[in-house]
Amino acid sequence: MIKQYLKKIHPKHLKIALIVLGTIMVAFIIAVGVLYNKRESLLQKALQQVKKQAQTEYDLKVTIDKAYFSGFSTVAVEGFRILPNQREQLIDINYLDITVKLWPLLSGNIKVSALNLHDAKLSFVKKDSLSNYDFLFKQKEVDTTKTATKMNLAELADKLINSVLYKIPENMELTDFEASYMDDSTKQVVSVPKAIIDDGDLSSTVEINDNEAVWHVLGQVLPSKKQLYFKVYAEGKPVELPVIKKKYGLTLRFDTLETDLKKVTMNGGELQISGGWAAKNLVIQHWRIAEQEIIVPQGHIDAKVLVGENYIGLDRSSEVKIKKLVAHPFGKITFKPHRSIELGVDMPEINAQDMFDSFPHGMFDNLEGIRVSGKLKYHLDLFVDLDNPDSVRLSAGMDKKGFRINSWGKTNLSKINTPFTYIPYEDGKAMRSIDVSPNNPNFTSLNDISPNLRNAVLTTEDPSFFSHKGFVIDAFKMSITTNLKAKAFKRGGSTISMQLVKNVFLGREKTLARKIEEILMVWLIENNQVVSKSRMFEVYLNIIEWGRNVYGIGEAARFYFGKHPSQLNVGESIYLASIIPKPKTGLYPFQYDGHLKPYLGGYFRLIGGIMARRGLAPRDSSSYGFYNVTLREALRPARPDTLQVDTIKQDFLEEEFEEAKGFFEKLFGKDKKQEQQD
């Protein structure tokens, strides 16, 4: 075929083409020869430029005893040091040589094929507020005269990944390497006596704090295929870094940890990164995660990360597996044209007992040992447009098929049905024991509690309590909207069911594990008829805090008004309902004459108006009992000499009232008559 094609070409033209090709090859050889002869001077010039840039941009003194070519494409460096100005030395390398691949170099890409490093130290030192690595966080000045270029996250991520992979050698020999971190209270030293990468196969030994622990790192490094695999394990005991616990309060240890980068591809302008992690006997504990250690005997994660022009996401095919429990998390953060967040998880149908048995030990302490039957399936889907907080979309639910609770485990959730002892805690300390039964003179049955109080509490805390199954999606959505607008946590979405479970069964710690456990326990109670709604509400009203060391409506009614709960009028009921979120401020709203401060009048009109519209109270033009609330004389504050402090706190509470007003108006809608009055 080629011969026939060449026969068609005129001999003269073929001769010219060969001459041109030969000329190019000769020129290329001459150019390579010139570069080869001048490479030493070019190397020295490049190193001087690096030194100058490090000094001017980062205030770093870079010294090199000797640098030279030890091969055609291999650069050797002896005595390489980096010393930040007026700081401790950061890097000290006795010998380093790097071999780069030639053909990629011709196209401008530096790909490392081999690396040898001997007798090197990397020292991070922080004294007081000064460190020898703070230059890493120095922001470069932006040239405002240049036209801003459109940033493409997919292209940026692709370049970043390639730049990292290109610097990973497929052959390496490293000996006597030491990395350390030291501050005023901590010192951590990681030593690598020897590490070898032989044609992509990695093997290494890592010593921690002078043989306090010995780790082993195995793996496979194939940067040209964009594939990496690492496995870390220790000798005789788990892998652990005490410095993490000292610095951040995080306990993290494991017997074996594996991680791999499987695939990196650009598809239709979207960068797709596939990888995974696996751990055996993973132990984790942090005060924001859980009070006690969480133990995962065996866990695995497969993730597919998506990076587009203006978004970063986690594909729905991603999978988390703990024992027999499988879940598919997904999410997406979009930056333009609107900032938005999408989060969710799908849990395929699973045998209910397998799900509970798969929960990590220590995560849901109250549910350990529970025996159930049937099948369960869960989904959660949340979308928030950060530029339009009112557009929150939320869908969540646990579907059951033949589900049944056969026996309770560590905690019997049905104990609410019978008399029991409740112990409130403050700052981890037990306050006192409260008998939740008719034997307690302060205990009040639901029928003996004034309807005014019952209706006021339901209105402010959980209007649909008697109809929902433990959760109110709309309340969660409005809470998210309120918090986004305030740019702070201002309001939760807890129902009375959730508050009851938290008070009776759980501590006061605010951890992720406790919140999830609370949700699971509420679902078990509400969706399996464990406790009736009336009994739940009765217990709730008899145990919640209404003031400093005031628990239950029996104590509250007598403490504030010297009354039995059955005698509470509308105004007193609205007031008591108003202090449930912040019971320790219960006495503040009163003036020295025992009446309420004027700023609460609007709150009474709002809640009273809602109750009236729902048929829970008669229409009242005099602020729904606001002027009839009178504090017991023994509790009244002294006549103030100054209003300075009072005004500061009043402004704060008035601001909180306005936020509450907006929340209730969204929940119930605005009262037309009230709008006319306002």
PDB file of all heavy atoms in Angstrom, residues 254-275:
ATOM      1  N   PHE A 254      -6.049   2.487  63.720  1.00  0.00           N
ATOM      2  CA  PHE A 254      -6.560   1.385  62.907  1.00  0.00           C
ATOM      3  C   PHE A 254      -5.494   0.299  62.818  1.00  0.00           C
ATOM      4  O   PHE A 254      -4.293   0.549  63.020  1.00  0.00           O
ATOM      5  CB  PHE A 254      -6.933   1.876  61.502  1.00  0.00           C
ATOM      6  CG  PHE A 254      -5.843   2.666  60.820  1.00  0.00           C
ATOM      7  CD1 PHE A 254      -4.813   2.034  60.132  1.00  0.00           C
ATOM      8  CD2 PHE A 254      -5.836   4.052  60.883  1.00  0.00           C
ATOM      9  CE1 PHE A 254      -3.809   2.768  59.513  1.00  0.00           C
ATOM     10  CE2 PHE A 254      -4.829   4.794  60.276  1.00  0.00           C
ATOM     11  CZ  PHE A 254      -3.808   4.148  59.592  1.00  0.00           C
ATOM     12  N   ASP A 255      -5.946  -0.912  62.515  1.00  0.00           N
ATOM     13  CA  ASP A 255      -5.003  -2.013  62.292  1.00  0.00           C
ATOM     14  C   ASP A 255      -4.443  -1.941  60.877  1.00  0.00           C
ATOM     15  O   ASP A 255      -3.244  -2.107  60.662  1.00  0.00           O
ATOM     16  CB  ASP A 255      -5.692  -3.368  62.506  1.00  0.00           C
ATOM     17  CG  ASP A 255      -5.955  -3.642  63.974  1.00  0.00           C
ATOM     18  OD1 ASP A 255      -5.421  -2.893  64.820  1.00  0.00           O
ATOM     19  OD2 ASP A 255      -6.704  -4.583  64.275  1.00  0.00           O
ATOM     20  N   THR A 256      -5.331  -1.720  59.909  1.00  0.00           N
ATOM     21  CA  THR A 256      -4.932  -1.660  58.499  1.00  0.00           C
ATOM     22  C   THR A 256      -5.749  -0.592  57.789  1.00  0.00           C
ATOM     23  O   THR A 256      -6.959  -0.484  57.993  1.00  0.00           O
ATOM     24  CB  THR A 256      -5.165  -3.010  57.792  1.00  0.00           C
ATOM     25  OG1 THR A 256      -4.456  -4.034  58.475  1.00  0.00           O
ATOM     26  CG2 THR A 256      -4.665  -2.956  56.355  1.00  0.00           C
ATOM     27  N   LEU A 257      -5.069   0.182  56.964  1.00  0.00           N
ATOM     28  CA  LEU A 257      -5.746   1.192  56.145  1.00  0.00           C
ATOM     29  C   LEU A 257      -5.256   1.056  54.711  1.00  0.00           C
ATOM     30  O   LEU A 257      -4.051   1.009  54.460  1.00  0.00           O
ATOM     31  CB  LEU A 257      -5.463   2.598  56.659  1.00  0.00           C
ATOM     32  CG  LEU A 257      -6.146   3.742  55.888  1.00  0.00           C
ATOM     33  CD1 LEU A 257      -7.654   3.703  56.081  1.00  0.00           C
ATOM     34  CD2 LEU A 257      -5.605   5.103  56.322  1.00  0.00           C
ATOM     35  N   GLU A 258      -6.198   0.983  53.784  1.00  0.00           N
ATOM     36  CA  GLU A 258      -5.864   0.892  52.365  1.00  0.00           C
ATOM     37  C   GLU A 258      -6.553   2.027  51.616  1.00  0.00           C
ATOM     38  O   GLU A 258      -7.688   2.386  51.925  1.00  0.00           O
ATOM     39  CB  GLU A 258      -6.328  -0.450  51.785  1.00  0.00           C
ATOM     40  CG  GLU A 258      -5.665  -1.661  52.420  1.00  0.00           C
ATOM     41  CD  GLU A 258      -6.242  -2.966  51.906  1.00  0.00           C
ATOM     42  OE1 GLU A 258      -5.889  -3.368  50.782  1.00  0.00           O
ATOM     43  OE2 GLU A 258      -7.054  -3.564  52.641  1.00  0.00           O
ATOM     44  N   THR A 259      -5.864   2.573  50.645  1.00  0.00           N
ATOM     45  CA  THR A 259      -6.444   3.615  49.807  1.00  0.00           C
ATOM     46  C   THR A 259      -5.913   3.466  48.393  1.00  0.00           C
ATOM     47  O   THR A 259      -4.761   3.065  48.184  1.00  0.00           O
ATOM     48  CB  THR A 259      -6.123   5.023  50.350  1.00  0.00           C
ATOM     49  OG1 THR A 259      -6.720   6.007  49.497  1.00  0.00           O
ATOM     50  CG2 THR A 259      -4.626   5.272  50.395  1.00  0.00           C
ATOM     51  N   ASP A 260      -6.751   3.761  47.420  1.00  0.00           N
ATOM     52  CA  ASP A 260      -6.295   3.637  46.040  1.00  0.00           C
ATOM     53  C   ASP A 260      -6.970   4.660  45.141  1.00  0.00           C
ATOM     54  O   ASP A 260      -8.096   5.090  45.382  1.00  0.00           O
ATOM     55  CB  ASP A 260      -6.528   2.223  45.492  1.00  0.00           C
ATOM     56  CG  ASP A 260      -8.009   1.873  45.383  1.00  0.00           C
ATOM     57  OD1 ASP A 260      -8.814   2.548  46.055  1.00  0.00           O
ATOM     58  OD2 ASP A 260      -8.344   0.937  44.651  1.00  0.00           O
ATOM     59  N   LEU A 261      -6.216   5.073  44.143  1.00  0.00           N
ATOM     60  CA  LEU A 261      -6.728   5.906  43.060  1.00  0.00           C
ATOM     61  C   LEU A 261      -6.853   4.987  41.860  1.00  0.00           C
ATOM     62  O   LEU A 261      -5.854   4.480  41.348  1.00  0.00           O
ATOM     63  CB  LEU A 261      -5.766   7.063  42.768  1.00  0.00           C
ATOM     64  CG  LEU A 261      -6.122   7.957  41.580  1.00  0.00           C
ATOM     65  CD1 LEU A 261      -7.410   8.728  41.847  1.00  0.00           C
ATOM     66  CD2 LEU A 261      -4.978   8.920  41.266  1.00  0.00           C
ATOM     67  N   LYS A 262      -8.104   4.757  41.413  1.00  0.00           N
ATOM     68  CA  LYS A 262      -8.338   3.752  40.383  1.00  0.00           C
ATOM     69  C   LYS A 262      -8.330   4.318  38.970  1.00  0.00           C
ATOM     70  O   LYS A 262      -7.802   3.712  38.046  1.00  0.00           O
ATOM     71  CB  LYS A 262      -9.675   3.051  40.638  1.00  0.00           C
ATOM     72  CG  LYS A 262      -9.741   2.303  41.953  1.00  0.00           C
ATOM     73  CD  LYS A 262     -11.135   1.737  42.187  1.00  0.00           C
ATOM     74  CE  LYS A 262     -11.218   1.036  43.540  1.00  0.00           C
ATOM     75  NZ  LYS A 262     -12.591   0.541  43.822  1.00  0.00           N
ATOM     76  N   LYS A 263      -8.938   5.500  38.838  1.00  0.00           N
ATOM     77  CA  LYS A 263      -9.121   6.008  37.485  1.00  0.00           C
ATOM     78  C   LYS A 263      -9.349   7.509  37.501  1.00  0.00           C
ATOM     79  O   LYS A 263     -10.066   8.021  38.356  1.00  0.00           O
ATOM     80  CB  LYS A 263     -10.325   5.303  36.839  1.00  0.00           C
ATOM     81  CG  LYS A 263     -10.490   5.510  35.348  1.00  0.00           C
ATOM     82  CD  LYS A 263     -11.662   4.675  34.847  1.00  0.00           C
ATOM     83  CE  LYS A 263     -11.840   4.806  33.344  1.00  0.00           C
ATOM     84  NZ  LYS A 263     -13.002   4.027  32.855  1.00  0.00           N
ATOM     85  N   VAL A 264      -8.729   8.208  36.555  1.00  0.00           N
ATOM     86  CA  VAL A 264      -8.940   9.645  36.371  1.00  0.00           C
ATOM     87  C   VAL A 264      -9.167   9.891  34.889  1.00  0.00           C
ATOM     88  O   VAL A 264      -8.279   9.648  34.073  1.00  0.00           O
ATOM     89  CB  VAL A 264      -7.743  10.474  36.870  1.00  0.00           C
ATOM     90  CG1 VAL A 264      -8.016  11.958  36.667  1.00  0.00           C
ATOM     91  CG2 VAL A 264      -7.436  10.186  38.329  1.00  0.00           C
ATOM     92  N   THR A 265     -10.356  10.353  34.532  1.00  0.00           N
ATOM     93  CA  THR A 265     -10.671  10.585  33.126  1.00  0.00           C
ATOM     94  C   THR A 265     -11.405  11.909  32.963  1.00  0.00           C
ATOM     95  O   THR A 265     -12.122  12.350  33.858  1.00  0.00           O
ATOM     96  CB  THR A 265     -11.551   9.461  32.550  1.00  0.00           C
ATOM     97  OG1 THR A 265     -12.752   9.353  33.322  1.00  0.00           O
ATOM     98  CG2 THR A 265     -10.812   8.135  32.580  1.00  0.00           C
ATOM     99  N   MET A 266     -11.215  12.531  31.797  1.00  0.00           N
ATOM    100  CA  MET A 266     -11.956  13.729  31.429  1.00  0.00           C
ATOM    101  C   MET A 266     -13.003  13.312  30.402  1.00  0.00           C
ATOM    102  O   MET A 266     -12.665  12.799  29.327  1.00  0.00           O
ATOM    103  CB  MET A 266     -11.031  14.795  30.852  1.00  0.00           C
ATOM    104  CG  MET A 266     -11.727  16.105  30.519  1.00  0.00           C
ATOM    105  SD  MET A 266     -12.237  17.062  31.978  1.00  0.00           S
ATOM    106  CE  MET A 266     -10.670  17.822  32.426  1.00  0.00           C
ATOM    107  N   ASN A 267     -14.271  13.511  30.740  1.00  0.00           N
ATOM    108  CA  ASN A 267     -15.352  13.041  29.882  1.00  0.00           C
ATOM    109  C   ASN A 267     -16.350  14.178  29.658  1.00  0.00           C
ATOM    110  O   ASN A 267     -17.072  14.576  30.566  1.00  0.00           O
ATOM    111  CB  ASN A 267     -16.048  11.838  30.530  1.00  0.00           C
ATOM    112  CG  ASN A 267     -17.089  11.210  29.623  1.00  0.00           C
ATOM    113  OD1 ASN A 267     -17.263  11.608  28.471  1.00  0.00           O
ATOM    114  ND2 ASN A 267     -17.784  10.208  30.134  1.00  0.00           N
ATOM    115  N   GLY A 268     -16.364  14.701  28.450  1.00  0.00           N
ATOM    116  CA  GLY A 268     -17.310  15.767  28.116  1.00  0.00           C
ATOM    117  C   GLY A 268     -17.151  17.008  28.960  1.00  0.00           C
ATOM    118  O   GLY A 268     -18.143  17.625  29.348  1.00  0.00           O
ATOM    119  N   GLY A 269     -15.915  17.369  29.308  1.00  0.00           N
ATOM    120  CA  GLY A 269     -15.660  18.550  30.126  1.00  0.00           C
ATOM    121  C   GLY A 269     -15.804  18.306  31.611  1.00  0.00           C
ATOM    122  O   GLY A 269     -15.671  19.239  32.405  1.00  0.00           O
ATOM    123  N   GLU A 270     -16.077  17.067  32.012  1.00  0.00           N
ATOM    124  CA  GLU A 270     -16.220  16.718  33.427  1.00  0.00           C
ATOM    125  C   GLU A 270     -15.098  15.766  33.831  1.00  0.00           C
ATOM    126  O   GLU A 270     -14.900  14.723  33.212  1.00  0.00           O
ATOM    127  CB  GLU A 270     -17.574  16.060  33.677  1.00  0.00           C
ATOM    128  CG  GLU A 270     -17.808  15.669  35.130  1.00  0.00           C
ATOM    129  CD  GLU A 270     -19.149  14.988  35.343  1.00  0.00           C
ATOM    130  OE1 GLU A 270     -19.289  13.811  34.923  1.00  0.00           O
ATOM    131  OE2 GLU A 270     -20.055  15.623  35.911  1.00  0.00           O
ATOM    132  N   LEU A 271     -14.377  16.131  34.880  1.00  0.00           N
ATOM    133  CA  LEU A 271     -13.313  15.278  35.390  1.00  0.00           C
ATOM    134  C   LEU A 271     -13.910  14.258  36.352  1.00  0.00           C
ATOM    135  O   LEU A 271     -14.615  14.621  37.295  1.00  0.00           O
ATOM    136  CB  LEU A 271     -12.249  16.111  36.104  1.00  0.00           C
ATOM    137  CG  LEU A 271     -10.998  15.348  36.580  1.00  0.00           C
ATOM    138  CD1 LEU A 271     -10.201  14.849  35.384  1.00  0.00           C
ATOM    139  CD2 LEU A 271     -10.132  16.238  37.463  1.00  0.00           C
ATOM    140  N   GLN A 272     -13.641  12.988  36.107  1.00  0.00           N
ATOM    141  CA  GLN A 272     -14.180  11.907  36.930  1.00  0.00           C
ATOM    142  C   GLN A 272     -13.034  11.179  37.621  1.00  0.00           C
ATOM    143  O   GLN A 272     -12.136  10.662  36.969  1.00  0.00           O
ATOM    144  CB  GLN A 272     -14.999  10.944  36.075  1.00  0.00           C
ATOM    145  CG  GLN A 272     -16.158  11.625  35.357  1.00  0.00           C
ATOM    146  CD  GLN A 272     -16.924  10.683  34.435  1.00  0.00           C
ATOM    147  OE1 GLN A 272     -16.526   9.545  34.230  1.00  0.00           O
ATOM    148  NE2 GLN A 272     -18.024  11.173  33.876  1.00  0.00           N
ATOM    149  N   ILE A 273     -13.080  11.159  38.958  1.00  0.00           N
ATOM    150  CA  ILE A 273     -12.006  10.569  39.760  1.00  0.00           C
ATOM    151  C   ILE A 273     -12.594   9.437  40.585  1.00  0.00           C
ATOM    152  O   ILE A 273     -13.485   9.655  41.409  1.00  0.00           O
ATOM    153  CB  ILE A 273     -11.375  11.624  40.695  1.00  0.00           C
ATOM    154  CG1 ILE A 273     -10.967  12.870  39.909  1.00  0.00           C
ATOM    155  CG2 ILE A 273     -10.191  11.039  41.443  1.00  0.00           C
ATOM    156  CD1 ILE A 273     -10.666  14.074  40.779  1.00  0.00           C
ATOM    157  N   SER A 274     -12.099   8.243  40.367  1.00  0.00           N
ATOM    158  CA  SER A 274     -12.593   7.072  41.086  1.00  0.00           C
ATOM    159  C   SER A 274     -11.519   6.562  42.035  1.00  0.00           C
ATOM    160  O   SER A 274     -10.346   6.435  41.655  1.00  0.00           O
ATOM    161  CB  SER A 274     -12.994   5.963  40.114  1.00  0.00           C
ATOM    162  OG  SER A 274     -14.037   6.396  39.265  1.00  0.00           O
ATOM    163  N   GLY A 275     -11.914   6.277  43.266  1.00  0.00           N
ATOM    164  CA  GLY A 275     -10.964   5.788  44.260  1.00  0.00           C
ATOM    165  C   GLY A 275     -11.684   5.097  45.390  1.00  0.00           C
ATOM    166  O   GLY A 275     -12.923   4.988  45.399  1.00  0.00           O
TER     167      GLY A 275
END
